[in-house]
Amino acid sequence: MTNFHSGTTNKKLLALTISLILMGCNTGTNDTAATGHEPEHGHNEASLPGRLMISDADSASVHVLNTEDLALVEQISVQNPISDLHVSPSFRYALAVQKQQGIVQVIDGGVWSEPHGDHSHDYTKTPVLLSGEFNEVTPSQFKIEGNKATLFYEGDETSGVSAQFKVLSDDSLGKGQELAHFAFPYSLQGIAQIWGDYVFTGVKGEGSTSQVPDRIGVLSSHNDHFHYEGMFEVTCPELADSALNSQKDVMFACADGVVVIQDGGDHFASKKITNPASITAGERIETILSSAKSTTALGLTASKQVFRITPETDVLTELNWRTNAEQNALAISMTEDTFALLNTDGTLLTFDVNHDFNKVADIKIWDEKVTLTGTQKIEMAFDPKTKLLYISNPANKTLVEVNMAQHKVNRVIDLAFTPSDLVWVGIN
């Protein structure tokens, strides 16, 4: 185990010149004048349904549906086809990432709540594309923690553009601004994980020429800037993902296992849980999913082997969800209470996050196997208000609504377009 004492700077571990600047992007707007419609106003947030935003696989647009009747509310055009669609930390906005062009546009979902003394007022208006956008090279990883998020830009090695990440919130997104901006002296396929007043991020170890991080650095936040605190001694070759569990343990997916960073009071302690023998040869954990209610997280490989990550016992134990070797996973979803996996047989498997991921139910979504072509993908989005799960299917252009409490399909609707990414926006 490696200890790193916060508040100390170890320049021998990482000889970097890292700049932090507080910057604003093009000014955006979320006021009423942007839509030409006065927002509707109410006192009971339960009266306002959320909305689904679905990117179009065949055009540069987003379709916004009302979750009450799944009717189209608005179709919003963006500049280029969308590579990724992310929901903002407080669920008001969607970030339409256009990776190849280095553009991230922001769509106001039009459903939000504002505190008023001992109660809240909720509002709804027509969804709108804000004028503010974020323009940097190769936007990639987007990580939410609490009411903030980090958006990582990889930069470009060939043209000499350095990597960076922006810290964002719903308030800053509505203004077309960032809360903070952190720049590396090199391009990097990195990630930035917020942890209270700190950010943990992948960095290059001394002598590394790879575009993928192999070490973990830590930054401390001081109002409008960060202080670089140093690098952990533990290595993390080919760092790919990160997550926090309910104990605020920070977990990083590495080629040889999972690095866990824990709060030791006046210091951070780091350790590595090595890959188990049961992991498929040539694979590693690439994705980590976690819940704010569980100390155990899940690690997924490329072939969708699933492993419980248990920092208390330093073990990775496989969650055997397959009933035959031919099954694979089409889509996955993690909420505070449920891990859901849609397999190639068209069955949605659900597991209880709060009880060691014990199996809860098998819900039949489709009777026939789905065949996807090209870049098609099935996506899932969870509505925390109604506890309904939505599944988009580009193969037959349908949207399925699943009642997670009753373990059944509520309804299936036909879409007039081919769905790609899917997110829920609204008052959580």
Side-chain angles (χ1 to χ4, degrees):
M1 179 179 294
T2 303
N3 290 341
F4 175 81
H5 289 270
S6 59
T8 64
T9 302
N10 195 333
K11 295 182 180 177
K12 293 181 180 179
L13 292 177
L14 184 63
L16 297 179
T17 302
I18 300 178
S19 63
L20 174 73
I21 54 176
L22 189 67
M23 298 178 63
C25 293
N26 296 335
T27 302
T29 178
N30 64 351
D31 59 20
T32 305
T35 65
H37 300 283
E38 289 292 336
E40 297 178 14
H41 168 238
H43 290 270
N44 180 13
E45 66 179 43
S47 66
L48 291 182
R51 290 168 174 168
L52 297 175
M53 291 196 184
I54 311 174
S55 60
D56 194 320
D58 301 319
S59 70
S61 64
V62 174
H63 302 256
V64 185
L65 309 185
N66 194 321
T67 54
E68 274 190 325
D69 53 13
L70 298 182
L72 180 68
V73 178
E74 192 78 4
Q75 182 174 350
I76 296 175
S77 296
V78 295
Q79 294 182 41
N80 308 281
I82 295 171
S83 54
D84 295 288
L85 193 66
H86 302 297
V87 68
S88 64
S90 298
F91 296 95
R92 177 169 177 177
Y93 304 100
L95 286 77
V97 179
Q98 298 141 66
K99 187 172 184 177
Q100 184 176 352
Q101 295 80 17
I103 297 172
V104 178
Q105 293 181 274
V106 181
I107 302 171
D108 185 348
V111 182
W112 75 101
S113 183
E114 296 179 358
H116 288 264
D118 60 355
H119 65 282
S120 296
H121 291 177
D122 54 342
Y123 302 87
T124 182
K125 67 176 183 180
T126 303
V128 63
L129 179 69
L130 303 186
S131 60
E133 61 186 50
F134 300 93
N135 301 306
E136 303 293 348
V137 178
T138 322
S140 56
Q141 296 268 17
F142 184 75
K143 284 288 178 182
I144 294 175
E145 175 56 29
N147 62 359
K148 294 180 182 178
T150 57
L151 176 61
F152 202 97
Y153 292 86
E154 298 175 0
D156 180 71
E157 182 182 23
T158 302
S159 59
V161 178
S162 294
Q164 60 178 281
F165 66 81
K166 300 178 185 295
V167 180
L168 306 166
S169 68
D170 275 48
D171 183 61
S172 75
L173 287 168
K175 298 174 182 176
Q177 299 175 349
E178 58 194 44
L179 298 177
H181 169 108
F182 183 85
F184 295 84
Y186 42 63
S187 57
L188 187 70
Q189 297 172 21
I191 198 166
Q193 179 71 58
I194 295 174
W195 187 97
D197 292 330
Y198 295 87
V199 170
F200 294 93
T201 183
V203 295
K204 292 184 181 183
E206 186 175 355
S208 173
T209 59
S210 173
Q211 289 298 292
V212 182
D214 60 356
R215 302 292 289 273
I216 300 166
V218 59
L219 308 165
S220 60
S221 175
H222 297 268
N223 297 319
D224 61 352
H225 65 282
F226 290 118
H227 290 173
Y228 175 68
E229 299 288 353
M231 167 201 304
F232 292 94
E233 291 181 10
V234 63
T235 61
C236 184
E238 299 176 28
L239 188 156
D241 199 11
S242 68
L244 292 179
N245 65 8
S246 62
Q247 295 296 320
K248 299 301 182 183
D249 297 328
V250 188
M251 293 160 284
F252 287 91
C254 315
D256 55 357
V258 175
V259 167
V260 180
I261 298 174
Q262 297 174 305
D263 182 10
D266 64 344
H267 68 278
F268 292 112
S270 65
K271 59 183 179 180
K272 182 179 291 183
I273 307 174
T274 57
N275 288 334
S278 59
I279 200 166
T280 300
E283 293 202 353
R284 42 77 61 86
I285 289 176
E286 296 186 344
T287 303
I288 300 179
L289 303 176
S290 64
S291 164
K293 292 185 177 181
S294 176
T295 58
T296 301
L298 294 181
L300 284 74
T301 68
S303 64
K304 298 303 183 287
Q305 268 187 293
V306 180
F307 293 88
R308 299 179 186 89
I309 304 171
T310 310
E312 296 97 328
T313 57
D314 293 349
V315 294
L316 303 177
T317 56
E318 189 167 4
L319 178 66
N320 293 301
W321 60 267
R322 288 180 170 90
T323 56
N324 63 69
E326 288 72 35
Q327 286 181 342
N328 205 341
L330 292 172
I332 56 174
S333 171
M334 176 84 97
T335 70
E336 286 191 344
D337 301 305
T338 303
F339 169 60
L341 183 150
L342 180 64
N343 68 20
T344 44
D345 291 336
T347 301
L348 184 70
L349 317 178
T350 64
F351 302 83
D352 190 340
V353 169
N354 303 305
H355 292 87
D356 199 31
F357 294 93
N358 290 330
K359 185 74 165 295
V360 175
D362 290 348
I363 307 171
K364 195 64 177 176
I365 306 300
W366 300 297
D367 292 327
E368 299 180 358
K369 290 188 176 181
V370 175
T371 300
L372 301 175
T373 61
T375 58
Q376 287 184 339
K377 56 184 177 180
I378 289 174
E379 290 281 302
M380 299 196 288
F382 183 69
D383 183 340
K385 291 171 65 65
T386 62
K387 310 302 180 186
L388 299 175
L389 183 72
Y390 295 92
I391 306 173
S392 60
N393 183 352
N396 61 7
K397 299 182 181 181
T398 58
L399 181 69
V400 181
E401 181 184 85
V402 182
N403 188 316
M404 298 295 282
Q406 298 180 11
H407 309 138
K408 68 174 187 178
V409 173
N410 275 354
R411 52 184 167 173
V412 181
I413 69 163
D414 293 322
L415 300 172
F417 61 95
T418 304
S420 184
D421 283 24
L422 167 66
V423 299
W424 179 88
V425 294
I427 303 168
N428 182 16

